[in-house]
Amino acid sequence: MENEHDIVWQILSDKLRKDCAQAVDDDYGKKYLPFTAGQLVHRVTFALSYYDQKIGNLFRWATKSVEGDNYTYQLTERNRRHLAHFVSVVTGHPESEISAYIEEINDDGALRAHFATVMQGRQGPMDIGFHPGRRMGWYAIVRALKPKIVVETGVARGHGSLTLAAAILRNRAEGHAGRYVGTDINPEAGMLFCGDYAQAGTILYGDSLESLWAFNEKIDLFINDSDHSASYESEEYDLIESKLAENALILGDNAHATDALLEFSRRTGRNFLFFREDPQGHWYPGAGIGVAFPAFPKTSSGRS
């Protein structure tokens, strides 16, 4: 009797052959291919070499990770440097300052201890270790700009909530007021947003559009991470437009998949930039950070 590994490999092999055959049939039908069998094998082998690492990461994830969505991972060192420059441009603060903030969250032992305590005894839904990925950029933006009101739609397990709360609490310790407001339709969302970090703000449970409609404070930093359809994303931006503070930033966690934030930026006369993640040791190609922000002249200390 075949063991489980043999069955898995057989299924994957059959799927690969089917997908390849379908691609060839769609393009050529019953016509002869313009390559010999040897040439075709060489071409496919060469192209696959660009994906060797990702394919290996895919099988490691499939057999070892407990995550089925909302994947967590570190960013490559090079990608973190790119992120620091990206945030520097968006905020007007020096790259050296932003890099220090990124290192700050990477070295935050209290935050990691909190994550480990929450996850103790659980079998999922997250892998061991706190890996904020692109959210390090969120953290650096909050640390640099010291926003008074930060709103995030779509809390899920609370990776973003925890990251933003950590930044807000550090700002408070330095004498800068700030508050986090999250929204989520799932009343059980925000498992990581607890303990001391819950002192940074609150989560509003219910439909994000309804929560935003009722919100009557000026928003300094808005982060869209809820329903990832382009139409819902656009509705959120339209709804918060009149609630934004004068120099507010708008971040889109779905900007790798839609142009909703880009179009909002065009319509409202804001600049738009996008940062793409490069996950370290993971098959997932990465999401990113889209940001709509006003144009400001640079000064030695940041925005004027």
Side-chain angles (χ1 to χ4, degrees), residues 33-46:
L33 295 178
F35 310 107
T36 66
Q39 289 173 324
L40 184 60
V41 169
H42 172 76
R43 289 168 62 82
V44 171
T45 301
F46 176 75

Side-chain angles (χ1 to χ4, degrees), residues 27 43 64 108 115 121 135 169 217 242 263 271-272 278 290 302:
D27 288 341
R43 289 168 62 82
K64 296 181 180 180
D108 192 331
F115 181 88
R135 297 178 185 88
L169 292 179
E217 298 178 67
S242 63
E263 294 304 326
N271 291 326
F272 174 83
D278 184 12

Side-chain angles (χ1 to χ4, degrees), residues 67-132:
E67 296 179 341
D69 55 21
N70 287 322
Y71 311 117
T72 59
Y73 37 75
Q74 293 282 22
L75 302 183
T76 66
E77 178 60 35
R78 182 168 181 254
N79 201 219
R80 290 200 297 272
R81 293 199 300 269
H82 291 178
L83 177 59
H85 282 275
F86 170 84
V87 174
S88 175
V89 170
V90 167
T91 62
H93 284 240
E95 178 274 330
S96 57
E97 177 188 343
I98 303 303
S99 291
Y101 291 142
I102 290 175
E103 289 307 308
E104 183 176 83
I105 187 172
N106 273 326
D107 296 337
D108 192 331
L111 187 152
R112 278 160 174 73
H114 169 82
F115 181 88
T117 298
V118 174
M119 293 301 297
Q120 189 172 10
R122 294 176 182 266
Q123 296 296 320
M126 293 171 283
D127 290 338
I128 297 173
F130 182 72
H131 305 302

